[in-house]
Protein backbone atom coordinates (compact mmCIF):
# COMPACT_ATOMS: atom_id res chain seq x y z
CA UNK A 1 0.00 0.00 0.00
CA UNK A 2 2.82 2.38 0.89
CA UNK A 3 4.61 1.55 -2.38
CA UNK A 4 1.40 2.19 -4.27
CA UNK A 5 0.92 5.56 -2.57
CA UNK A 6 4.54 6.46 -3.34
CA UNK A 7 4.11 5.50 -6.98
CA UNK A 8 0.89 7.47 -7.25
CA UNK A 9 2.49 10.56 -5.68
CA UNK A 10 5.45 10.36 -8.09
CA UNK A 11 3.03 10.07 -11.00
CA UNK A 12 0.98 13.06 -9.83
CA UNK A 13 4.11 15.19 -9.32
CA UNK A 14 5.34 14.34 -12.80
CA UNK A 15 1.98 15.30 -14.31
CA UNK A 16 1.90 18.56 -12.36
CA UNK A 17 5.39 19.46 -13.54
CA UNK A 18 4.45 18.72 -17.14
CA UNK A 19 1.35 20.91 -16.91
CA UNK A 20 3.26 23.74 -15.23
CA UNK A 21 5.96 23.69 -17.88
CA UNK A 22 3.31 23.87 -20.57
CA UNK A 23 2.22 27.27 -19.24
CA UNK A 24 5.66 28.80 -18.70
CA UNK A 25 6.12 31.89 -20.84
CA UNK A 26 9.61 31.85 -22.36
CA UNK A 27 11.58 34.78 -20.99
CA UNK A 28 14.15 35.49 -23.62
CA UNK A 29 15.52 33.10 -26.11
CA UNK A 30 13.92 30.47 -24.65
CA UNK A 31 14.46 27.33 -26.72
CA UNK A 32 17.13 25.56 -28.70
CA UNK A 33 17.57 26.95 -32.16
CA UNK A 34 16.72 30.57 -31.35
CA UNK A 35 16.91 33.07 -34.17
CA UNK A 36 19.48 35.83 -34.38
CA UNK A 37 17.50 38.04 -32.01
CA UNK A 38 17.29 35.30 -29.42
CA UNK A 39 13.51 35.50 -29.60
CA UNK A 40 11.43 32.47 -30.42
CA UNK A 41 12.52 29.57 -32.61
CA UNK A 42 13.66 29.29 -36.17
CA UNK A 43 16.60 30.63 -38.12
CA UNK A 44 17.77 34.08 -39.16
CA UNK A 45 14.96 36.07 -40.67
CA UNK A 46 12.27 34.19 -38.79
CA UNK A 47 9.58 36.37 -37.25
CA UNK A 48 8.00 34.63 -34.27
CA UNK A 49 6.35 35.53 -30.99
CA UNK A 50 7.38 34.46 -27.49
CA UNK A 51 5.87 31.00 -28.05
CA UNK A 52 7.57 30.42 -31.38
CA UNK A 53 4.45 31.14 -33.44
CA UNK A 54 5.01 32.89 -36.78
CA UNK A 55 4.16 36.61 -36.85
CA UNK A 56 2.79 37.73 -40.20
CA UNK A 57 3.16 41.10 -41.82
CA UNK A 58 6.53 42.01 -40.29
CA UNK A 59 8.52 44.49 -42.38
CA UNK A 60 11.49 45.04 -40.05
CA UNK A 61 12.98 43.90 -36.74
CA UNK A 62 14.20 46.42 -34.24
CA UNK A 63 15.27 47.00 -30.66
CA UNK A 64 14.89 49.60 -27.95
CA UNK A 65 18.11 50.89 -26.41
CA UNK A 66 18.77 53.10 -23.39
CA UNK A 67 21.43 53.70 -20.76
CA UNK A 68 20.64 50.29 -19.30
CA UNK A 69 21.76 48.34 -22.38
CA UNK A 70 24.77 50.63 -22.73
CA UNK A 71 25.84 49.96 -19.15
CA UNK A 72 25.17 46.23 -19.42
CA UNK A 73 27.56 46.15 -22.39
CA UNK A 74 30.26 48.31 -20.75
CA UNK A 75 32.38 45.32 -19.72
CA UNK A 76 32.75 44.45 -23.40
CA UNK A 77 33.64 47.97 -24.44
CA UNK A 78 30.08 49.12 -25.04
CA UNK A 79 27.43 48.05 -27.51
CA UNK A 80 28.86 46.40 -30.61
CA UNK A 81 26.50 47.97 -33.11
CA UNK A 82 28.02 46.24 -36.13
CA UNK A 83 27.28 42.88 -34.53
CA UNK A 84 23.79 44.08 -33.64
CA UNK A 85 23.08 44.89 -37.28
CA UNK A 86 24.50 41.59 -38.52
CA UNK A 87 22.14 39.78 -36.15
CA UNK A 88 19.15 40.95 -38.16
CA UNK A 89 18.27 44.24 -36.46
CA UNK A 90 17.46 46.99 -38.95
CA UNK A 91 16.19 49.78 -36.69
CA UNK A 92 16.72 51.09 -33.17
CA UNK A 93 14.44 53.20 -31.01
CA UNK A 94 16.81 55.18 -28.79
CA UNK A 95 15.74 56.50 -25.39
CA UNK A 96 16.06 60.28 -25.22
CA UNK A 97 15.02 60.59 -21.57
CA UNK A 98 12.78 63.07 -19.75
CA UNK A 99 12.11 66.79 -20.08
CA UNK A 100 15.42 68.61 -19.55
CA UNK A 101 16.94 65.29 -18.46
CA UNK A 102 18.75 63.63 -21.34
CA UNK A 103 19.56 59.92 -21.16
CA UNK A 104 23.29 59.94 -20.28
CA UNK A 105 24.07 57.61 -23.17
CA UNK A 106 21.70 59.06 -25.75
CA UNK A 107 24.48 60.56 -27.86
CA UNK A 108 26.64 57.41 -27.78
CA UNK A 109 23.69 55.21 -28.65
CA UNK A 110 22.55 57.43 -31.51
CA UNK A 111 26.02 57.72 -33.00
CA UNK A 112 26.70 54.01 -32.64
CA UNK A 113 23.45 52.93 -34.25
CA UNK A 114 23.82 55.39 -37.12
CA UNK A 115 27.46 54.47 -37.75
CA UNK A 116 26.42 50.83 -38.13
CA UNK A 117 23.79 51.79 -40.68
CA UNK A 118 20.68 51.24 -38.57
CA UNK A 119 17.59 53.36 -39.05
CA UNK A 120 16.82 55.30 -35.91
CA UNK A 121 13.86 56.75 -34.05
CA UNK A 122 13.63 57.98 -30.48
CA UNK A 123 11.33 57.62 -27.51
CA UNK A 124 10.64 60.14 -24.78
CA UNK A 125 8.95 59.54 -21.43
CA UNK A 126 6.39 62.19 -20.49
CA UNK A 127 5.78 63.60 -17.05
CA UNK A 128 3.66 66.52 -18.25
CA UNK A 129 0.65 67.59 -16.21
CA UNK A 130 -0.71 70.13 -18.69
CA UNK A 131 -0.79 70.90 -22.39
CA UNK A 132 1.81 73.66 -22.21
CA UNK A 133 4.34 71.30 -20.63
CA UNK A 134 3.59 68.66 -23.24
CA UNK A 135 4.44 71.20 -25.95
CA UNK A 136 7.60 72.17 -24.04
CA UNK A 137 8.54 68.48 -23.95
CA UNK A 138 8.12 68.33 -27.72
CA UNK A 139 10.34 71.40 -28.15
CA UNK A 140 12.98 69.80 -25.94
CA UNK A 141 12.88 66.62 -28.01
CA UNK A 142 13.20 68.58 -31.25
CA UNK A 143 16.18 70.50 -29.91
CA UNK A 144 17.98 67.24 -29.15
CA UNK A 145 17.27 65.35 -32.38
CA UNK A 146 17.68 68.12 -34.95
CA UNK A 147 21.27 67.17 -35.74
CA UNK A 148 20.56 63.46 -36.30
CA UNK A 149 19.11 61.69 -39.35
CA UNK A 150 15.86 60.45 -37.82
CA UNK A 151 14.24 57.93 -40.16
CA UNK A 152 11.85 56.24 -37.70
CA UNK A 153 9.15 57.84 -35.54
CA UNK A 154 9.45 60.10 -32.53
CA UNK A 155 7.66 58.24 -29.74
CA UNK A 156 5.75 59.70 -26.81
CA UNK A 157 5.79 57.20 -23.94
CA UNK A 158 2.64 58.07 -22.00
CA UNK A 159 2.76 55.38 -19.30
CA UNK A 160 3.46 57.86 -16.53
CA UNK A 161 2.62 57.12 -12.89
CA UNK A 162 3.07 60.83 -12.25
CA UNK A 163 0.12 61.59 -14.50
CA UNK A 164 -2.12 59.08 -12.76
CA UNK A 165 -1.04 60.10 -9.27
CA UNK A 166 -2.04 63.67 -10.06
CA UNK A 167 -5.50 62.57 -11.08
CA UNK A 168 -5.55 63.76 -14.68
CA UNK A 169 -8.69 62.77 -16.59
CA UNK A 170 -8.71 60.76 -19.80
CA UNK A 171 -9.49 63.94 -21.74
CA UNK A 172 -6.65 65.88 -20.13
CA UNK A 173 -4.17 63.12 -20.91
CA UNK A 174 -5.49 62.85 -24.46
CA UNK A 175 -5.12 66.62 -24.94
CA UNK A 176 -1.49 66.45 -23.80
CA UNK A 177 -0.65 63.60 -26.15
CA UNK A 178 -2.35 65.43 -28.99
CA UNK A 179 -0.39 68.63 -28.23
CA UNK A 180 2.94 66.78 -28.23
CA UNK A 181 2.22 64.86 -31.42
CA UNK A 182 0.95 67.93 -33.26
CA UNK A 183 4.15 69.79 -32.39
CA UNK A 184 6.34 66.92 -33.58
CA UNK A 185 4.37 66.50 -36.81
CA UNK A 186 4.47 70.25 -37.51
CA UNK A 187 8.25 70.13 -37.26
CA UNK A 188 8.40 67.53 -40.04
CA UNK A 189 8.83 64.37 -37.99
CA UNK A 190 6.44 61.44 -37.58
CA UNK A 191 5.00 61.02 -34.08
CA UNK A 192 3.97 57.69 -32.59
CA UNK A 193 2.16 56.97 -29.32
CA UNK A 194 3.81 54.34 -27.13
CA UNK A 195 1.53 52.60 -24.64
CA UNK A 196 0.33 49.26 -23.37
CA UNK A 197 -3.18 47.86 -23.74
CA UNK A 198 -4.39 49.17 -20.38
CA UNK A 199 -3.30 52.74 -21.12
CA UNK A 200 -4.68 52.75 -24.63
CA UNK A 201 -8.08 51.49 -23.53
CA UNK A 202 -8.53 53.22 -20.16
CA UNK A 203 -6.51 56.44 -20.10
CA UNK A 204 -6.60 57.73 -23.68
CA UNK A 205 -9.40 58.57 -26.09
CA UNK A 206 -7.87 57.05 -29.20
CA UNK A 207 -10.66 58.42 -31.40
CA UNK A 208 -8.98 61.82 -30.96
CA UNK A 209 -5.45 60.60 -31.68
CA UNK A 210 -4.97 59.70 -35.37
CA UNK A 211 -1.37 58.67 -34.91
CA UNK A 212 0.72 55.53 -35.23
CA UNK A 213 0.63 53.22 -32.24
CA UNK A 214 3.68 51.51 -30.77
CA UNK A 215 1.90 48.67 -29.00
CA UNK A 216 3.58 47.32 -25.86
CA UNK A 217 2.07 43.92 -25.17
CA UNK A 218 4.32 40.97 -24.43
CA UNK A 219 3.37 37.50 -25.58
CA UNK A 220 1.35 36.74 -28.71
CA UNK A 221 -1.32 39.44 -29.12
CA UNK A 222 -0.11 42.22 -31.40
CA UNK A 223 -3.26 43.62 -32.99
CA UNK A 224 -4.48 47.12 -32.20
CA UNK A 225 -5.93 49.87 -34.44
CA UNK A 226 -3.16 51.93 -36.08
CA UNK A 227 -0.51 49.63 -34.60
CA UNK A 228 2.62 50.04 -36.69
CA UNK A 229 5.21 48.72 -34.21
CA UNK A 230 4.74 45.88 -31.73
CA UNK A 231 6.93 45.61 -28.64
CA UNK A 232 6.79 41.87 -28.10
CA UNK A 233 9.23 41.24 -25.23
CA UNK A 234 11.60 43.00 -22.87
CA UNK A 235 13.74 39.89 -22.43
CA UNK A 236 15.28 39.55 -25.86
CA UNK A 237 18.88 38.49 -26.41
CA UNK A 238 20.73 40.35 -29.13
CA UNK A 239 24.34 39.66 -30.12
CA UNK A 240 26.47 42.70 -29.41
CA UNK A 241 24.43 43.85 -26.41
CA UNK A 242 24.74 42.65 -22.82
CA UNK A 243 21.67 41.82 -20.74
CA UNK A 244 18.03 41.92 -21.74
CA UNK A 245 16.88 43.84 -24.79
CA UNK A 246 13.40 44.91 -25.81
CA UNK A 247 12.49 43.53 -29.23
CA UNK A 248 10.27 45.33 -31.74
CA UNK A 249 8.51 44.33 -34.94
CA UNK A 250 7.55 47.01 -37.47
CA UNK A 251 4.58 46.32 -39.73
CA UNK A 252 4.99 49.29 -42.05
CA UNK A 253 7.84 50.52 -44.22
CA UNK A 254 8.73 53.82 -42.60
CA UNK A 255 10.98 54.58 -45.54
CA UNK A 256 7.79 55.26 -47.51
CA UNK A 257 6.07 57.16 -44.69
CA UNK A 258 8.88 59.44 -43.53
CA UNK A 259 10.33 61.51 -46.38
CA UNK A 260 14.10 61.39 -46.58
CA UNK A 261 14.19 64.88 -48.10
CA UNK A 262 12.35 67.97 -46.89
CA UNK A 263 12.06 70.86 -44.50
CA UNK A 264 12.20 70.50 -40.71
CA UNK A 265 11.24 73.24 -38.25
CA UNK A 266 12.73 73.47 -34.77
CA UNK A 267 11.47 76.46 -32.85
CA UNK A 268 11.67 79.41 -35.23
CA UNK A 269 14.41 77.88 -37.36
CA UNK A 270 14.06 75.91 -40.57
CA UNK A 271 16.41 73.18 -41.78
CA UNK A 272 16.51 71.05 -44.91
CA UNK A 273 17.43 67.37 -44.94
CA UNK A 274 18.52 65.10 -47.77
CA UNK A 275 18.61 61.42 -46.95
CA UNK A 276 17.61 62.58 -43.41
CA UNK A 277 20.86 64.61 -43.11
CA UNK A 278 20.92 68.38 -42.56
CA UNK A 279 22.19 70.38 -45.50
CA UNK A 280 24.33 73.52 -45.48
CA UNK A 281 25.22 76.14 -48.05
CA UNK A 282 23.24 76.86 -51.23
CA UNK A 283 20.06 74.88 -51.76
CA UNK A 284 17.59 74.79 -54.64
CA UNK A 285 14.12 73.40 -54.00
CA UNK A 286 11.80 73.60 -56.97
CA UNK A 287 12.27 77.02 -58.55
CA UNK A 288 13.54 78.71 -55.37
CA UNK A 289 17.05 79.11 -54.00
CA UNK A 290 17.96 79.24 -50.32
CA UNK A 291 21.06 79.52 -48.20
CA UNK A 292 21.64 77.40 -45.11
CA UNK A 293 24.27 78.45 -42.60
CA UNK A 294 27.02 76.24 -41.21
CA UNK A 295 24.60 75.19 -38.47
CA UNK A 296 22.01 74.20 -41.09
CA UNK A 297 19.63 77.06 -40.34
CA UNK A 298 17.93 78.73 -43.28
CA UNK A 299 18.74 82.43 -43.49
CA UNK A 300 15.81 84.81 -44.05
CA UNK A 301 14.80 88.46 -43.82
CA UNK A 302 18.39 89.56 -44.33
CA UNK A 303 21.02 90.66 -46.82
CA UNK A 304 24.31 88.83 -46.43
CA UNK A 305 27.65 89.03 -48.17
CA UNK A 306 28.76 85.66 -49.52
CA UNK A 307 32.05 85.38 -51.35
CA UNK A 308 32.17 89.13 -51.88
CA UNK A 309 28.64 89.51 -53.21
CA UNK A 310 25.47 90.69 -51.47
CA UNK A 311 22.40 88.46 -51.52
CA UNK A 312 18.97 89.30 -50.12
CA UNK A 313 16.67 86.62 -48.70
CA UNK A 314 12.97 87.15 -48.09
CA UNK A 315 10.76 86.18 -45.16
CA UNK A 316 10.31 82.70 -46.64
CA UNK A 317 14.08 82.31 -46.99
CA UNK A 318 14.02 82.42 -50.80
CA UNK A 319 16.64 84.41 -52.68
CA UNK A 320 15.14 87.67 -53.95
Amino acid sequence: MKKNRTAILKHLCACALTIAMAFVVPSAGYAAGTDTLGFGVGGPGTNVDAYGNPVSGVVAKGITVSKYQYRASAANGGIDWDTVKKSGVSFAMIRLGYYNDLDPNFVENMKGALAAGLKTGIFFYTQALDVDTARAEADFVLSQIKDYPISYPVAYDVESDTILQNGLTKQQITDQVKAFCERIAAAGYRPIVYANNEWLNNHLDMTQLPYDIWYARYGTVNEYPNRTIWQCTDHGEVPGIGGNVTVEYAFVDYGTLIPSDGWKQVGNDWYYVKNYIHQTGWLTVGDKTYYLGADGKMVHDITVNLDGKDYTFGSDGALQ
Side-chain angles (χ1 to χ4, degrees):
M1 193 71 172
K2 185 175 181 180
K3 288 184 177 179
N4 287 340
R5 286 200 301 269
T6 301
I8 291 171
L9 287 171
K10 287 183 177 179
H11 177 71
L12 290 174
C13 288
C15 289
L17 180 60
T18 300
I19 293 171
M21 290 181 67
F23 286 90
V24 170
V25 178
S27 61
Y30 321 68
T34 57
D35 70 6
T36 53
L37 285 179
F39 180 63
V41 294
T46 302
N47 302 316
V48 293
D49 62 27
Y51 293 89
N53 303 312
V55 180
S56 61
V58 174
V59 173
K61 283 182 178 180
I63 57 174
T64 297
V65 175
S66 70
K67 63 183 179 181
Y68 302 108
Q69 287 73 39
Y70 187 91
R71 291 171 181 174
S73 306
N76 296 319
I79 296 174
D80 185 343
W81 285 101
D82 289 330
T83 298
V84 170
K85 185 178 182 182
K86 290 176 183 177
S87 75
V89 173
S90 62
F91 72 92
M93 299 297 289
I94 308 296
R95 179 180 183 268
L96 191 143
Y98 306 92
Y99 182 43
N100 290 331
D101 185 8
L102 196 66
D103 183 299
N105 299 115
F106 171 71
V107 173
E108 292 92 340
N109 287 332
M110 283 295 295
K111 289 182 176 180
L114 290 168
L118 272 68
K119 295 181 178 180
T120 58
I122 69 97
F123 68 99
F124 173 87
Y125 185 77
T126 180
Q127 293 179 307
L129 298 178
D130 55 62
V131 167
D132 288 341
T133 304
R135 292 194 183 103
E137 288 182 332
D139 290 339
F140 173 69
V141 169
L142 293 170
S143 71
Q144 299 302 316
I145 67 175
K146 65 181 179 61
D147 294 325
Y148 296 102
I150 303 295
S151 53
Y152 256 65
V154 173
Y156 201 40
D157 183 346
V158 301
E159 298 177 358
S160 171
D161 289 338
T162 300
I163 290 177
L164 297 183
Q165 290 166 1
N166 280 270
L168 270 67
T169 66
K170 176 184 283 192
Q171 188 59 56
Q172 287 174 315
I173 299 171
T174 300
D175 288 343
Q176 291 180 188
V177 174
K178 185 178 180 181
F180 178 93
C181 290
E182 286 178 344
R183 195 79 140 207
I184 296 298
Y189 295 89
R190 190 175 184 94
I192 188 170
V193 178
Y194 171 94
N196 60 33
N197 197 61
E198 195 269 337
W199 264 86
L200 291 169
N201 290 323
N202 298 322
H203 302 298
L204 294 169
D205 183 352
M206 298 309 299
T207 65
Q208 301 180 45
L209 298 171
Y211 301 106
D212 296 347
I213 300 300
W214 181 1
Y215 192 39
R217 186 165 184 173
Y218 305 152
T220 62
V221 179
N222 69 73
E223 293 292 339
Y224 197 88
N226 291 342
R227 181 271 291 128
T228 56
I229 301 177
W230 175 36
Q231 184 172 99
C232 52
T233 181
D234 62 351
H235 280 74
E237 297 175 351
V238 178
I241 302 179
N244 295 328
V245 182
T246 303
V247 177
E248 320 291 346
Y249 284 137
F251 295 85
V252 297
D253 180 3
Y254 273 109
T256 65
L257 297 177
I258 301 177
S260 60
D261 298 359
W263 291 102
K264 306 285 186 185
Q265 184 180 21
V266 180
N268 295 320
D269 298 316
W270 286 90
Y271 303 81
Y272 195 87
V273 298
K274 287 185 178 180
N275 195 27
Y276 306 106
I277 298 173
H278 279 182
Q279 301 300 295
T280 59
W282 290 104
L283 170 73
T284 299
V285 179
D287 60 353
K288 295 184 177 181
T289 299
Y290 305 86
Y291 189 81
L292 311 176
D295 56 3
K297 295 178 182 178
M298 177 192 76
V299 300
H300 59 90
D301 295 299
I302 193 173
T303 296
V304 295
N305 186 281
L306 300 169
D307 298 322
K309 184 177 179 180
D310 288 339
Y311 297 92
T312 299
F313 300 90
S315 59
D316 64 349
L319 179 66
Q320 303 298 292

